[in-house]
Amino acid sequence: ILNFGLCYAPKGKDLLIKYLNEKNIPTNLMLKAGLVRHSAKTNNLYDYFQDRVLFPITDSKGRVIAFGGRIKTPVDNLPKYLNSPESLIFSKGKNLYGLAQARIKATETKQIIVTEGYMDCITLHQFGFNMSVASLGTALTEMQVELLWKFSASPILCFDSDEAGRNAGIRAALRVLPILKPGYSVRFCLLEGAKDPDEFLHIYGA
């Protein structure tokens, strides 16, 4: 929790709007940062992230540039995750979740592991794989691969074992092929006996 800055956004009190108003932050900046939204019904402002566990997304230096918010209890009409929109400081395709926490170990070992989800990345760190990152819920992009290659000439892609995860691996391979260069590639870790890295580690251990 401390290492990744996990936190909780309270429900329905618009505490963030009040706080930002006290700090004299202009409304247009709150909207551009994706922290608040206009209600479709009333046009009133409301906190975008409410009643969710928040995963701060940082740049490689640890500066917060966006958030992912996971609902605590599944509700049929609500998405499991909400993510900050693209902005001047945040682009999903150019960043990797957990890179600030992984960069020291990745630099030391010249290895880096890529997962699909926040919790997979965090669990890998808990089990000692401190060179792990996640792809921010998007198909792995060429820019993310180039970023990975700064730490490892052969990053390991460890996606979910279901059909969606295998398809994500195929898409990643197809994106990597055109940009392969001498000495640089990617490897795949295919899981069996568990649906994702988080479940695999809790069943079988490190």
Side-chain angles (χ1 to χ4, degrees):
I1 290 171
L2 291 174
N3 190 27
F4 286 88
L6 306 185
C7 50
Y8 167 69
K11 182 178 180 179
K13 296 180 181 177
D14 294 329
L15 296 176
L16 183 59
I17 292 174
K18 293 173 185 174
Y19 176 79
L20 294 174
N21 282 333
E22 289 171 2
K23 297 291 182 183
N24 297 316
I25 303 297
T27 301
N28 68 315
L29 286 185
M30 297 184 208
L31 289 162
K32 282 184 178 180
L35 296 173
V36 304
R37 290 280 174 99
H38 281 293
S39 167
K41 292 181 180 179
T42 65
N43 205 37
N44 293 334
L45 285 179
Y46 68 94
D47 290 351
Y48 182 52
F49 297 104
Q50 293 189 31
D51 197 24
R52 289 175 180 268
V53 176
L54 289 192
F55 298 79
I57 299 165
T58 71
D59 63 13
S60 62
K61 296 179 181 178
R63 298 174 295 192
V64 177
I65 55 175
F67 293 95
R70 188 186 193 281
I71 199 165
K72 293 190 301 174
T73 306
V75 179
D76 287 343
N77 63 335
L78 293 177
K80 182 177 179 181
Y81 279 99
L82 286 181
N83 297 299
S84 293
E86 302 263 323
S87 70
L88 291 172
I89 61 170
F90 174 59
S91 171
K92 285 193 293 186
K94 295 180 181 178
N95 293 280
L96 292 161
Y97 177 76
L99 185 58
Q101 290 83 355
R103 61 179 301 146
I104 293 175
K105 192 72 172 180
T107 302
E108 288 175 358
T109 62
K110 300 199 181 317
Q111 293 184 354
I112 195 161
I113 300 170
V114 188
T115 68
E116 289 184 85
Y118 307 130
M119 288 307 305
D120 291 320
C121 172
I122 291 170
T123 300
L124 278 160
H125 279 258
Q126 286 180 311
F127 279 80
F129 298 95
N130 297 327
M131 70 296 277
S132 302
V133 298
S135 61
L136 291 172
T138 183
L140 200 67
T141 67
E142 294 85 349
M143 289 176 286
Q144 287 173 323
V145 173
E146 294 283 359
L147 183 55
L148 291 165
W149 279 342
K150 292 181 179 179
F151 297 93
S152 171
S154 188
I156 299 168
L157 309 187
C158 185
F159 295 160
D160 294 357
S161 62
D162 60 10
E163 185 178 359
R166 296 299 169 100
N167 288 337
I170 291 168
R171 288 197 300 272
L174 292 173
R175 283 196 163 181
V176 169
L177 279 171
I179 61 171
L180 286 178
K181 51 190 177 182
Y184 290 86
S185 185
V186 297
R187 288 178 288 167
F188 289 87
C189 175
L190 303 178
L191 300 175
E192 293 183 0
K195 70 177 186 291
D196 54 34
D198 174 64
E199 184 177 86
F200 186 93
L201 286 167
H202 281 107
I203 294 173
Y204 304 107

